[in-house]
Every structure is written in C-alpha cells, then in structure tokens.
Amino acid sequence: MSIFLHHRRIGGPAEVVVGLRSSEQGPQAVMLNQVLLSRVGVVESVERALAEHNVCLITGPSGSGKSCLLHELSQRCLDRCQKPLWISAQQQTLSLLGTISGKPDLIIIDALEEWLTRFGPEVVGLHCRGLVARGFKVLISCRRRYWDNLANPSVFDPPQVRLEKLNLEEQMEFIRRYSEVFAVQGISS
C-alpha cells in the first residue's frame, strides 16, 4: 500500500485529499474514503480561473495530484450533464487539437510535458492558445519543472494553479488518521 494524492468528494465540495492506493479488494480498499486529508480551495481556484479566462494550467511535481484533480473536474462536468473531452498527451498526437469538432464543455489535456518535449513550447503554446481562441474551456496539467524550463510565456501564459507535495504536518496528520482507521477496523497494513 502507498500514500498518494487523490481528488474525491467528501460530503460536500470536492477537495484534494490523500488516501491509500491498493491493488487489493475488500476492507483495505474500503478504507480509502476514511483516511483523508483535504487541501481546501484547489478545485475552486481552478474553476474560478476557467470561468474568468477559459483556461487554467495545473502544475506540480510528479505525484502531487495533477491528474487526480483533472479527474475530479471531469467528474464535476459529468455531474452537471456537461461533456468533457479528455486528451492524454502521452497517448495522442498534438495534431488532434486541430480536429476537435462539436462543442465539448471542457477540454482536459493531461501531461502536457510530453508534447512540450516533443514539439517545443512555441508549437504547443500556439495550439493551446488556438483552442481558447475558438471558444473552448481548456484545463491543462504539466509537471512544473517542464513548464518552468520549456514554456514560452510570450506564446502561451495561462493562469496557473500550483500543487505541492505534502508537507511534514500533512504527512503526520495522514499517518495519525491512517493509524486511527486501521486500529478501529482491526486491519493491519
């Protein structure tokens, strides 16, 4: 079992949380919802940026919860009967952006660093800026070190929400909650 950042609903607004990742089924998988830490305001910051600018970039180090946050925002679209379009830069080519038809309510591009390293920041920036100019709402994730080193703000400079890994206090709170839940449930990890 490993600690990971995840994005879930907790009886109200969605919040970025920490949980457990397990390939196992049964009681330990059920514990996922019970061992949580919230990072209040992240989802709301992203939604505010999308409402004001039609684009938002989520950056953070590997494992900070960028893709999980995208999944939560995608789920929120579905909950509102909207149509998100998910694009994985690891699996699809950049030329796909020019062929989007119809009107998805939100275009989600995960792992933009894959395109930045293959095509360069100018080409990627122009494609992303083109989506926004065509009236699409665009949500993007990118590892911060790639964005900071490769991005070209003169071509594409969207509002940014920066995720961080858990600090020591958050890690300690996670361990405390983890211990409580598993002690109460009589489950050993």
Side-chain angles (χ1 to χ4, degrees), residues 2 4 12 24 28 38 43 84-85 91 99 108 112-113 115 126 146 150 156-157 170-171 178-179:
S2 59
F4 75 108
E24 304 167 20
Q28 289 183 324
S38 66
V43 172
L85 173 62
Q91 298 171 352
T99 65
I108 300 170
L112 188 73
E113 65 271 6
W115 287 344
L126 288 171
Y146 287 93
L150 293 174
F156 184 62
D157 191 20
E170 291 170 317
Q171 291 174 24
Y178 176 92
S179 298

Side-chain angles (χ1 to χ4, degrees), residues 64-173:
S64 61
K66 298 176 299 296
S67 295
C68 291
L69 179 56
L70 295 181
H71 281 283
E72 173 60 31
L73 291 158
S74 176
Q75 184 59 50
R76 281 186 167 208
C77 274
L78 293 170
D79 291 348
R80 292 188 297 258
C81 297
Q82 296 176 332
K83 299 177 288 187
L85 173 62
W86 187 280
I87 300 170
S88 171
Q90 294 172 328
Q91 298 171 352
Q92 281 121 0
T93 64
L94 184 63
S95 62
L96 172 72
L97 297 184
T99 65
I100 295 173
S101 61
K103 185 70 172 153
D105 295 292
L106 179 63
I107 297 173
I108 300 170
I109 303 172
D110 192 18
L112 188 73
E113 65 271 6
E114 297 291 328
W115 287 344
L116 285 173
T117 55
R118 286 198 318 240
F119 304 109
E122 287 76 20
V123 171
V124 173
L126 288 171
H127 275 81
C128 291
R129 197 172 69 194
L131 287 174
V132 176
R134 289 172 46 202
F136 292 113
K137 286 189 182 269
V138 183
L139 180 59
I140 303 165
S141 78
C142 185
R143 289 186 183 160
R144 183 170 307 128
R145 68 184 174 102
Y146 287 93
W147 183 259
D148 290 346
N149 292 328
L150 293 174
N152 184 345
S154 66
V155 176
F156 184 62
D157 191 20
Q160 214 177 123
V161 172
R162 297 171 73 97
L163 297 182
E164 301 295 338
K165 290 200 174 190
L166 295 179
N167 63 36
L168 183 59
E169 183 179 315
E170 291 170 317
Q171 291 174 24
M172 296 306 292
E173 178 64 11

Side-chain angles (χ1 to χ4, degrees), residues 4-19 32-47 58 64-76 79 161 163 166 170 173 177:
F4 75 108
L5 278 174
H6 188 63
H7 208 79
R8 299 186 62 90
R9 292 180 192 271
I10 311 175
E15 300 170 332
V16 176
V17 298
V18 174
L32 177 64
N33 293 330
Q34 296 181 33
V35 183
L36 304 171
L37 286 176
S38 66
R39 290 189 167 187
V40 180
V42 175
V43 172
E44 290 73 19
S45 296
V46 171
E47 288 184 331
I58 300 167
S64 61
K66 298 176 299 296
S67 295
C68 291
L69 179 56
L70 295 181
H71 281 283
E72 173 60 31
L73 291 158
S74 176
Q75 184 59 50
R76 281 186 167 208
D79 291 348
V161 172
L163 297 182
L166 295 179
E170 291 170 317
E173 178 64 11
R177 290 185 185 196

